[in-house]
Amino acid sequence: MANKLEIRHLSQQYGEVRALDDVSFTLEPGVTGLLGANGAGKSTLMKLMTDHMKRTSGEILWNGTDILKMGKKWRELVGYTPQLPGLYDDFSAKRFLYYMGALKGMKKKDIREQTDQMLAAVNLSDCAHRKIGTFSGGMRQRVLLASSLLGRPQVLILDEPTAGLDPEERIRIRNDIADLARDRIVLLATHVVSDIACIAQNVLLIRKGKAIAFDTPLRLLENAEGKIGEFTGTYDEIRSLQKQYPNGEIAQHKDGFVLRVAEDPLPEGCVPVRDSITLEDVCHLYLKGDRTYG
Amino acid sequence: MAELRRLLLSPKQLVILLMLTVINLALFASNCRSIQENLTEYRKVQWEEGIDSAAAEKKEAAAYLKTGYAEYLQYVQEQSKKQGLLGKLSEKNSFITRNLEKTAKDYAKLEGIKLTQGQNRGLLAVSTYTVTDFLLLIAPLLLAIELAHESETAIGALARTTKNGHLALCIRRIAAIALLSAASVLCMYCGNMLYARRFFGSAGLHRMLQSVPEFQLCSMRITIGGYYFATAIIKCIAVTATALFLWIILSRFYKILSWLIAAPVLILHYLTGRLVMPTSSFNHLRYLNVFSALHTSMFFKEYCNLNWFGHASGFFADMLIFLILTLLILTGLSLYLIGHCHPVRIGQKLEQLKEQIEKRMAKHMPAYSVFGFEGWKLLIPQHVLLIAAVFSILGVFLWNDMFLYAPSVDTQKFYERYSGEITQAKIERIARQVIGETNRLNVEKRNYQRNIEQGHYQDAAWNDEQITICNFYLERYETMMDEMISLAKYKKKTGNEAWFLDDDTYEKVFNENAAEERCCLVLLLFLILAFYASGAFDNRYDTRMLLRSTKNGRAGILTSQIIWCAILTAIAVTALHGIFLLRVSGDIGFPMMEAPAQSIPAFRDLPFSVSLRTCIIVLMCLRFLAAMVISGAVMVISRFSKTPQRALMVSMVLLILPTALSQSGILPVRFLDFAHFLSCCKR
């Protein structure tokens, strides 16, 4: 039977602010993309899933058992990459992975073996003995990703693992994650929609602490049909139209300027897009107007 | 102004300055108390030998003021004439001849100066206390390091792109270093002056400096007030010059090379100032030295003319010229190299080499357990190993500085004969002995008195001395008998055993002791410096969440950190108090360790029976627990601090500040004296 991680009616309150509001969904092996604006509640959700803070209400069940009851056993199953690259500058990449291996309770032999494998997987073998303080943002991110993979965890919680990576590295990491997700649950939070567009089995959209959509990318794309459209005109016309649709995206085509909008229903004069709807458009549709999105 | 305000009035800078001031004050206060206690102890020992050292000193001082100094001036002139004649015979224009002429001329100016009596001990304490000179350097050097580091960061690059980001900014930063040096001198050196005045009494600022015998060689017409002012200014220039030097080196070279240049240059410069003898042909190196200038008092306690190609030049004037020139050159270099030139650094190859070595070493790195990694984190990246090494050296100096006086032979013999369990027979024997001795001494005393009255002896002072000795012995025997009787009464009343013994050693261990408390202050400092980063280290790098998400990242880390803390604390406590116990037992010895604890006044009220040996063991355990409480408190502060720097500051403010204020007597709140808490001694 496949592993299952159920989130049931999860809520989190910070004083007056409700960071998560009755969120429910179920994760199964494969990549689940978590999309939302800054402050939407993504990191709070991840903190609750890694048992980093006390939840206000709700349940997180691993194969039917609450993770709070599992304690250490749950943390043994989880690999986590935090949003901020929290790494010790004085450690070398290898030493850091050894340390993380020890913290994960791995055997010394396994630590040595897996460290070499993970460093190779994230293309850091050549820099294994360099101090992390000398690493670029992308390299630090890769060290964190390698550390989360140590011990071959059943659940991978990755908070913006591709932030700061160059396009080539991003594709590499994205493919690695897709490979890893074959037999484990991966929750991948990101701002970059293209990171999950091709690898996610499911997408969870969070807005102001609420889960507003949880579905496969295909179904989300289908739902968006007829709600994505384009205005075409001169630059000045498009600029004045954008005042009405501030989340609309301007692009320059060979026949003029285009303003792509996501509205339900589409405004008058806007030509619906049929074949080229992307997950980006879906996000615009669901998350538009949300603070700092896009 | 904004830059000056940013650098000088930042909370961090103010806290550093405040903490240094308070630590300096506490150390100086402790030093003053030690001087006073050592003097009392010395006088006591002298008194036991029948010498009234206080009276002798007074007599000596009066003689110096009355005739001694005038005789010295006369002697200089006579010597000059005598030697001059010899010199003229040999070589007229030699340095020796010129030196003699200059010496005679310098001291001739001092003829007729009015010397007055006053309290000299404060001035001597301030002028001999060199720890302050090193503490003066800390804040300006830290600022220099911070400025050099800042130039490597994005802020440094940003600042250089602005209109005033080159020369104008550099001028302001030089001013900031100079002002901080002045502030350090004002807070610490002047703080010492004020404390010495309060502790020993006013030295009388209007008195001529030569009124103090230790400054007899000073050839300047200067008052004590003038001396204080001049030394403060000189120290200020010396500190500024040192900080500028470090700033230039750190700004122009990569980290390793910069320290490879700065550290040996500064150490060598310091050592030449200390090791080159005043009579050496190379004594220029001794006196034309920034560190010598920092320990300014030598220029007022010594006299020397430097040989400049046969010409004799006063060492004080030469030092001043050297110091001002050094400051001007370093200022110019700072303006040119840091303010004007592009911020290019030299020595990258060494950094690469270091990286290569680290890489090679890392290849053989073992995979530790969580406990091992936490230990490694504490010892290496958090520098506890380095801190421990520094404190070990400091500890050696501190213990060498501790004076222990063994009791006189007479007293020892008495105790050897009678100490031990108190029995009726023993009391009677001691009583007979004491009465016999008392009678004998009374007879002797009467004889001396008669001799004085009858004028049998020419020297009345000798008789006075003998009477004083008799009085002392009488007093001592009476005290011993009283103690015996009191112990017997105590035994009868409580049924507790209490032996008669020399409790002097135990008093040193169990009761307030200046040297020991100063070492406890050092222990307190060590515990803070060792553990201030323990929790904040993870907070600084934002790793807390990542660590907590792992299996052993919660209790595992915490338990390991606590065990390491206990191990290091135990080592520190054992090293500090163990050495103290060894020294005390070696120099004086612990007599009758099997005696009941009630035998010494500190434990008279103890309701249960226990030996002194057990008491010492229990005391050591209590000291360990007290140290663990402090270490724990520092760890808690660290855990909730965002950065190690903040944790250090908070720990210093919460633990060192009240301790230092309490020890220096400024804040009479004894329960906030955490060094005393660490000593677990009865006050």
mmCIF file of all heavy atoms in Angstrom, chain B residues 558-571:
data_model
loop_
_atom_site.group_PDB
_atom_site.id
_atom_site.type_symbol
_atom_site.label_atom_id
_atom_site.label_comp_id
_atom_site.label_asym_id
_atom_site.label_seq_id
_atom_site.Cartn_x
_atom_site.Cartn_y
_atom_site.Cartn_z
ATOM 1 N N LEU B 558 20.675 19.331 22.103
ATOM 2 C CA LEU B 558 20.654 19.978 23.417
ATOM 3 C C LEU B 558 21.437 19.159 24.446
ATOM 4 O O LEU B 558 22.258 19.701 25.198
ATOM 5 C CB LEU B 558 19.203 20.170 23.874
ATOM 6 C CG LEU B 558 19.030 21.069 25.084
ATOM 7 C CD1 LEU B 558 19.426 22.495 24.755
ATOM 8 C CD2 LEU B 558 17.589 21.040 25.582
ATOM 9 N N THR B 559 21.204 17.852 24.454
ATOM 10 C CA THR B 559 21.910 16.992 25.412
ATOM 11 C C THR B 559 23.414 17.061 25.168
ATOM 12 O O THR B 559 24.193 17.219 26.107
ATOM 13 C CB THR B 559 21.438 15.524 25.259
ATOM 14 O OG1 THR B 559 20.020 15.528 25.199
ATOM 15 C CG2 THR B 559 21.893 14.667 26.412
ATOM 16 N N SER B 560 23.803 16.965 23.911
ATOM 17 C CA SER B 560 25.244 17.025 23.596
ATOM 18 C C SER B 560 25.837 18.346 24.060
ATOM 19 O O SER B 560 26.923 18.375 24.642
ATOM 20 C CB SER B 560 25.462 16.890 22.090
ATOM 21 O OG SER B 560 24.897 15.705 21.639
ATOM 22 N N GLN B 561 25.113 19.440 23.789
ATOM 23 C CA GLN B 561 25.633 20.753 24.184
ATOM 24 C C GLN B 561 25.770 20.850 25.702
ATOM 25 O O GLN B 561 26.760 21.385 26.211
ATOM 26 C CB GLN B 561 24.713 21.860 23.666
ATOM 27 C CG GLN B 561 24.882 22.091 22.174
ATOM 28 C CD GLN B 561 24.004 23.208 21.639
ATOM 29 O OE1 GLN B 561 23.069 23.648 22.305
ATOM 30 N NE2 GLN B 561 24.281 23.644 20.435
ATOM 31 N N ILE B 562 24.786 20.309 26.428
ATOM 32 C CA ILE B 562 24.843 20.370 27.896
ATOM 33 C C ILE B 562 26.021 19.535 28.411
ATOM 34 O O ILE B 562 26.756 19.964 29.299
ATOM 35 C CB ILE B 562 23.508 19.913 28.518
ATOM 36 C CG1 ILE B 562 22.421 20.960 28.216
ATOM 37 C CG2 ILE B 562 23.635 19.713 30.027
ATOM 38 C CD1 ILE B 562 21.023 20.554 28.575
ATOM 39 N N ILE B 563 26.218 18.362 27.811
ATOM 40 C CA ILE B 563 27.339 17.508 28.272
ATOM 41 C C ILE B 563 28.675 18.205 28.009
ATOM 42 O O ILE B 563 29.551 18.257 28.865
ATOM 43 C CB ILE B 563 27.292 16.116 27.599
ATOM 44 C CG1 ILE B 563 26.033 15.366 28.068
ATOM 45 C CG2 ILE B 563 28.535 15.295 27.934
ATOM 46 C CD1 ILE B 563 25.758 14.069 27.327
ATOM 47 N N TRP B 564 28.808 18.785 26.815
ATOM 48 C CA TRP B 564 30.047 19.509 26.502
ATOM 49 C C TRP B 564 30.260 20.675 27.452
ATOM 50 O O TRP B 564 31.383 20.945 27.894
ATOM 51 C CB TRP B 564 30.041 19.995 25.043
ATOM 52 C CG TRP B 564 30.556 18.962 24.112
ATOM 53 C CD1 TRP B 564 29.823 18.205 23.238
ATOM 54 C CD2 TRP B 564 31.907 18.521 23.975
ATOM 55 N NE1 TRP B 564 30.634 17.329 22.570
ATOM 56 C CE2 TRP B 564 31.919 17.493 22.997
ATOM 57 C CE3 TRP B 564 33.101 18.876 24.577
ATOM 58 C CZ2 TRP B 564 33.083 16.849 22.622
ATOM 59 C CZ3 TRP B 564 34.256 18.226 24.201
ATOM 60 C CH2 TRP B 564 34.238 17.226 23.231
ATOM 61 N N CYS B 565 29.162 21.336 27.733
ATOM 62 C CA CYS B 565 29.221 22.479 28.655
ATOM 63 C C CYS B 565 29.704 22.001 30.030
ATOM 64 O O CYS B 565 30.576 22.627 30.648
ATOM 65 C CB CYS B 565 27.831 23.110 28.727
ATOM 66 S SG CYS B 565 27.603 24.260 30.051
ATOM 67 N N ALA B 566 29.169 20.862 30.475
ATOM 68 C CA ALA B 566 29.561 20.320 31.783
ATOM 69 C C ALA B 566 31.032 19.921 31.779
ATOM 70 O O ALA B 566 31.765 20.210 32.732
ATOM 71 C CB ALA B 566 28.683 19.126 32.131
ATOM 72 N N ILE B 567 31.466 19.296 30.678
ATOM 73 C CA ILE B 567 32.876 18.854 30.602
ATOM 74 C C ILE B 567 33.816 20.062 30.672
ATOM 75 O O ILE B 567 34.746 20.114 31.479
ATOM 76 C CB ILE B 567 33.125 18.051 29.294
ATOM 77 C CG1 ILE B 567 32.382 16.712 29.348
ATOM 78 C CG2 ILE B 567 34.612 17.826 29.056
ATOM 79 C CD1 ILE B 567 32.367 15.948 28.034
ATOM 80 N N LEU B 568 33.524 21.066 29.827
ATOM 81 C CA LEU B 568 34.409 22.235 29.774
ATOM 82 C C LEU B 568 34.374 23.013 31.087
ATOM 83 O O LEU B 568 35.396 23.513 31.554
ATOM 84 C CB LEU B 568 34.029 23.137 28.602
ATOM 85 C CG LEU B 568 34.326 22.548 27.228
ATOM 86 C CD1 LEU B 568 33.759 23.409 26.129
ATOM 87 C CD2 LEU B 568 35.833 22.390 27.028
ATOM 88 N N THR B 569 33.173 23.097 31.673
ATOM 89 C CA THR B 569 33.052 23.813 32.950
ATOM 90 C C THR B 569 33.854 23.077 34.018
ATOM 91 O O THR B 569 34.567 23.707 34.810
ATOM 92 C CB THR B 569 31.571 23.912 33.362
ATOM 93 O OG1 THR B 569 30.856 24.523 32.292
ATOM 94 C CG2 THR B 569 31.385 24.753 34.609
ATOM 95 N N ALA B 570 33.730 21.750 34.030
ATOM 96 C CA ALA B 570 34.465 20.961 35.035
ATOM 97 C C ALA B 570 35.969 21.156 34.865
ATOM 98 O O ALA B 570 36.689 21.329 35.849
ATOM 99 C CB ALA B 570 34.100 19.489 34.896
ATOM 100 N N ILE B 571 36.429 21.160 33.618
ATOM 101 C CA ILE B 571 37.871 21.357 33.373
ATOM 102 C C ILE B 571 38.309 22.734 33.891
ATOM 103 O O ILE B 571 39.319 22.867 34.578
ATOM 104 C CB ILE B 571 38.199 21.202 31.863
ATOM 105 C CG1 ILE B 571 38.001 19.739 31.434
ATOM 106 C CG2 ILE B 571 39.632 21.646 31.566
ATOM 107 C CD1 ILE B 571 38.093 19.500 29.942
#
